[in-house]
Amino acid sequence: MALNERDFLNTPDELGNFGPYGGRFVSETLMAALDDLEAIYNKLSKDPEFQAAFDKDLAHYVGRPSPLYHAERWSKQLGGAQIYLKREDLNHTGAHKVNNTIGQALLAKYTGKRRVIAETGAGQHGVATATVAARLGLECEVFMGWDDIQRQSLNVYRMKLLGAKVTPVHSGTKTLKDAMNEALRDWVTNVDHTFYIIGTVAGPHPYPMLVRDFQCVIGREARQQCLNQTGKLPDALVACVGGGSNAIGLFHPMLADASVKMYGVEAGGLGVATGHHAAPLNAGRPGVLHGNRTYLMEDADGQIIPTHSVSAGLDYPGVGPEHSWLKDCGRVNYVAINDDEALAAFRKLTLVEGIMPALESSHAVAYAEKLAPTMAKDQIIIVNLSGRGDKDIHTVAKLDGITLG
Amino acid sequence: MSRIKACFEQLQSRGRKALVPFITAGDPSLDATVPLLHTLAENGADLIEIGIPFSDPMADGPVIQLADERALANGVTTIKVLEMVREFRKTNTTTPIILMGYLNPVEIYGYAQFARDAAAAGVDGMITVDMPPEASKPLNDEFAKVGIDSIFLIAPTTLPARIEKIAAAARGYLYYVSLKGVTGAANLDVEAVQQKLETIRKITDLPITVGFGIKDAATARAVGAIADGVVVGSALVNLVAQHQQDLTTLKANIAETMRSLRQGLDQV
């Protein structure tokens, strides 16, 4: 398909469609709440006071702008393009997720709802939600798959310390997708007084749009920082994609910059060819789940199939609908990195630059390692370091056969 | 005239309310579904809703979630669900059959192909839980070509302007969700249901069934007094879960519960 800016810059349409993707596929009970949210967001997103409140929180609570760091030693070792890290790991709570929860918490405050709920995989979005809920004095309940609770115990305890109730989800595959099912069920039941803070650019309209808008601060900053530091735009952007919120946040403000190549890195798990992965854009097909039409991992009968990734935050069978559209438009290249490659990149960046990336972000790091040597030394890659790796130390230690206290 | 329309006209002429049981296809086993459909029909069902299992039933409570998991573990597929309907139709040509499920399995089957195969199997209507009227035209058009009624949900949160939109897309009957919640929830408020039904009746003449939270003769009677029919799902699927090892006992329990619901409803 020929590249046409108009196809992907003015999205979504008023029904929440990104080309054939997106939309609002939920049971009738939620339609009124989504209509309300859309109306409130359309109003507030154009309101200078709301934007000022958002920017103020990002500056003084989150600690923005996050640095754009030239990883000189690592770049030199790879012998190709210069790699810059967008340090979302330095945000308050340790990942990009908080950009969005700050924004949605402001929306929740505006609606006057006293309770917020969230789904979480790796726990980063749960922590970011519990954090803003604590700050605003809102009741908070986070749904988390039982398997994810086992592999992310640190974040579970963090959420509890922040005053959130963490509810284990035992249905289905006991991971992120099931947590989202349970959050939607809770929302249907408590819709009168509950605001659902979705953590990624998926779900029913207007979530993919508003989460993207809140995360676009990443790309706006990175673009300007790159111009300031190097006098030119980056040649390539690399970000990991589970639901895809950190990636869309980095990519979207530069979609119109035609010279900037973009790479979304999905979780290849044990290898895309093995079927044990979480790479719907690489190996799935379009379908409808969690309120939107998008690429999915599904069987021949339309049942969602179990995914596998060493990183809980990427272990999801769907992806934000805008990514599906950007894939079909050919604007973004979607690639996959396997578990072992991500783990190696986790260790490498830690040793070479003293920066420990989250296992999710390690997928982007690993792809940049492949990409940089194919590019010239005066070219620039920006890697979105979407989160820090402290939460993953137990997982890595376990793979090393070490039990931590 | 569609089987569904004929059914409601006949019920209305006799002053009777529709009893609409729901079971999940392939639960507790692939072989049990057709005998259970006959048990339902022989014990007071006017129409029957059959759930097409889905891996991610986000509008369903724990009872039907588990039923879907059992059915999928048994290897049920959309094609097998249609085969069950075809088998049922060999001896029952009168009881309307309505499929209820999520959009993704239908989407992957292909709208046109699904509509043709479902009609050929003897399906009369379809409730696609996560397909709102705004997005329903492509599938509805295919259903209309083969005479399958598209049945839509209306919720307590649905405002009158949306009720009009839904009623315009709907055929056969409307399914009013009695409460804010998932299937099998317990907090039924009959007075609130009555108020909403009055609003809906001002907008459409379609028959209205009410579901979610109807579990026994008393709730069936209370809701039957104000609606055109009642849908009973989780209460029956609970029985399937309890007696999944023994089809004879299961059928006896289902028959007994159905007769009790029928009695409750016939007191209206």
Side-chain angles (χ1 to χ4, degrees):
Chain A
M1 194 182 295
L3 192 139
N4 182 345
E5 277 182 18
R6 280 171 309 179
D7 289 339
F8 49 75
L9 286 183
N10 298 315
T11 56
D13 67 14
E14 68 279 5
L15 292 175
N17 296 308
F18 300 86
Y21 304 106
R24 186 181 282 173
F25 297 91
V26 294
S27 55
E28 180 57 29
T29 310
L30 291 178
M31 292 303 280
L34 291 165
D35 279 340
D36 286 350
L37 177 61
E38 186 187 356
I40 288 165
Y41 181 67
N42 284 340
K43 181 169 163 247
L44 292 182
S45 62
K46 295 178 193 79
D47 178 353
E49 266 181 50
F50 178 83
Q51 285 304 326
F54 180 54
D55 291 345
K56 187 179 166 196
D57 279 354
L58 290 183
H60 302 297
Y61 190 70
V62 176
R64 302 203 72 91
S66 65
L68 184 70
Y69 166 72
H70 184 191
E72 284 184 71
R73 186 159 181 256
W74 186 38
S75 304
K76 198 169 181 186
Q77 284 191 6
L78 294 171
Q82 302 306 306
I83 302 178
Y84 286 73
L85 303 174
K86 181 59 176 163
R87 299 291 307 276
E88 293 298 302
D89 60 317
L90 294 178
N91 290 340
H92 179 46
T93 72
H96 74 289
K97 292 291 186 188
V98 73
N99 302 327
N100 167 49
T101 59
I102 289 278
Q104 289 200 52
L106 287 174
L107 294 178
K109 199 171 133 189
Y110 184 88
T111 62
K113 294 187 175 178
R114 59 180 162 80
R115 176 172 179 266
V116 294
I117 55 169
E119 83 295 336
T120 199
Q124 289 302 115
H125 174 58
V127 166
T129 302
T131 298
V132 295
R135 182 176 172 238
L136 295 176
L138 299 168
E139 189 187 332
C140 177
E141 184 165 352
V142 178
F143 297 91
M144 190 166 182
W146 179 247
D147 285 0
D148 290 340
I149 285 180
Q150 304 308 307
R151 54 181 170 174
Q152 300 288 348
S153 55
L154 188 67
N155 271 343
V156 173
Y157 190 56
R158 279 172 84 189
M159 287 184 266
K160 287 179 181 168
L161 288 173
L162 288 160
K165 180 182 174 195
V166 180
T167 301
V169 178
H170 295 277
S171 59
T173 58
K174 305 177 177 60
T175 59
L176 179 55
K177 82 171 173 76
D178 310 287
M180 196 153 180
N181 288 331
E182 207 55 37
L184 284 162
R185 290 177 190 125
D186 180 285
W187 199 31
V188 166
T189 307
N190 300 301
V191 64
D192 288 338
H193 65 276
T194 296
F195 189 101
Y196 181 15
I197 298 186
I198 290 185
T200 192
V201 286
H205 180 61
Y207 282 103
M209 172 179 75
L210 67 87
V211 176
R212 173 195 73 193
D213 292 353
F214 291 139
Q215 290 294 358
C216 274
V217 65
I218 301 172
R220 280 197 305 271
E221 283 178 8
R223 188 177 188 279
Q224 193 56 47
Q225 287 166 322
C226 190
L227 286 170
N228 292 349
Q229 291 178 32
T230 71
K232 56 183 183 177
L233 287 172
D235 298 282
L237 306 176
V238 182
C240 65
V241 177
S245 68
N246 88 81
I248 215 80
L250 178 66
F251 296 166
H252 198 267
M254 288 182 256
L255 286 175
D257 298 317
S259 66
V260 182
K261 290 200 169 96
M262 302 184 185
Y263 300 89
V265 187
E266 293 195 302
L270 303 179
V272 171
T274 67
H276 299 286
H277 58 84
L281 291 169
N282 279 274
R285 55 175 158 175
V288 174
L289 179 70
H290 291 154
N292 59 149
R293 181 177 281 118
T294 192
Y295 279 84
L296 297 174
M297 307 250 313
E298 55 183 333
D299 67 14
D301 211 44
Q303 307 295 340
I304 307 306
I305 55 177
T307 52
H308 167 82
S309 171
V310 70
S311 91
L314 301 183
D315 209 348
Y316 180 67
V319 63
E322 189 162 8
H323 286 292
S324 294
W325 181 227
L326 291 172
K327 171 192 160 72
D328 284 8
C329 291
R331 179 64 186 95
V332 179
N333 301 296
Y334 292 93
V335 297
I337 283 290
N338 299 346
D339 286 352
D340 53 354
E341 296 171 309
L343 284 160
F346 171 92
R347 294 172 196 279
K348 181 77 178 291
L349 194 68
T350 304
L351 281 173
V352 175
E353 293 285 352
I355 294 172
M356 189 179 289
L359 285 177
E360 290 77 15
S361 322
S362 298
H363 287 72
V365 172
Y367 190 74
E369 280 196 328
K370 291 184 176 181
L371 184 64
T374 70
M375 293 167 65
K377 286 194 170 117
D378 62 348
Q379 288 190 297
I380 295 165
I381 300 173
I382 295 179
V383 175
N384 202 4
L385 209 71
S386 55
R388 67 179 186 224
D390 310 44
K391 70 179 175 61
D392 297 310
I393 290 175
H394 277 85
T395 302
V396 175
K398 201 172 161 194
L399 290 168
D400 281 345
I402 295 166
T403 310
L404 302 178
Chain B
M1 188 188 296
S2 82
R3 238 185 236 121
I4 292 173
K5 192 157 191 249
C7 176
F8 275 102
E9 283 188 3
Q10 198 204 12
L11 286 166
Q12 270 156 9
S13 71
R14 292 162 58 201
R16 214 169 113 128
K17 303 300 175 121
L19 176 56
V20 190
F22 168 99
I23 58 168
T24 301
D27 174 36
S29 67
L30 295 178
D31 295 339
T33 300
V34 175
L36 284 176
L37 294 175
H38 286 299
T39 302
L40 294 171
E42 286 155 12
N43 290 280
D46 297 299
L47 306 87
I48 299 174
E49 292 180 1
I50 303 176
I52 303 177
F54 185 46
S55 54
D56 295 79
M58 65 179 186
D60 286 298
V63 171
I64 291 173
Q65 286 172 45
L66 288 171
D68 282 12
E69 287 185 14
R70 287 193 296 270
L72 290 172
N74 291 335
V76 75
T77 61
T78 309
I79 287 177
K80 285 179 182 165
V81 176
L82 298 182
E83 279 169 6
M84 291 168 189
V85 177
R86 190 190 304 276
E87 187 64 29
F88 173 74
R89 279 276 173 259
K90 283 182 181 166
T91 48
N92 182 319
T93 56
T94 54
T95 309
I97 293 285
I98 295 95
L99 299 179
M100 184 167 188
Y102 293 80
L103 183 56
N104 201 47
V106 176
E107 184 145 316
I108 204 157
Y109 200 109
Y111 290 172
Q113 188 70 39
F114 178 80
R116 281 196 299 272
D117 290 357
V123 169
D124 302 289
M126 171 92 193
I127 306 166
T128 316
V129 177
D130 55 348
M131 184 182 68
E134 292 86 347
S136 67
K137 190 169 186 310
L139 182 56
N140 274 6
D141 287 351
E142 296 301 334
F143 281 153
K145 281 182 205 165
V146 297
I148 290 180
D149 289 332
S150 290
I151 290 139
F152 284 85
L153 304 178
I154 291 179
T157 51
T158 310
L159 298 172
R162 271 192 72 77
I163 296 176
E164 282 178 29
K165 199 186 288 185
I166 293 168
R171 299 286 179 274
Y173 62 96
L174 289 166
Y175 185 139
Y176 181 66
V177 175
S178 69
L179 50 86
K180 295 176 197 128
V182 292
T183 52
N187 45 336
L188 181 67
D189 178 348
V190 176
E191 230 172 86
V193 172
Q194 181 166 13
Q195 282 179 10
K196 195 73 178 188
L197 293 191
E198 282 168 14
T199 306
I200 301 171
R201 287 195 201 286
K202 283 178 195 153
I203 295 168
T204 176
D205 294 329
L206 283 169
I208 308 168
T209 67
V210 174
F212 285 39
I214 294 157
K215 55 182 188 297
D216 52 24
T219 43
R221 185 172 63 232
V223 174
I226 54 176
D228 299 301
V230 298
V231 184
V232 182
S234 295
L236 295 169
V237 175
N238 248 331
L239 292 175
V240 177
Q242 278 169 33
H243 303 289
Q244 52 186 292
Q245 307 301 337
D246 180 356
L247 184 59
T248 309
T249 313
L250 172 58
K251 281 164 67 176
N253 277 276
I254 293 267
E256 190 189 324
T257 299
M258 285 294 291
R259 285 194 297 270
S260 161
L261 289 163
R262 184 77 259 172
Q263 276 177 5
L265 210 51
D266 288 346
Q267 287 168 17
V268 171

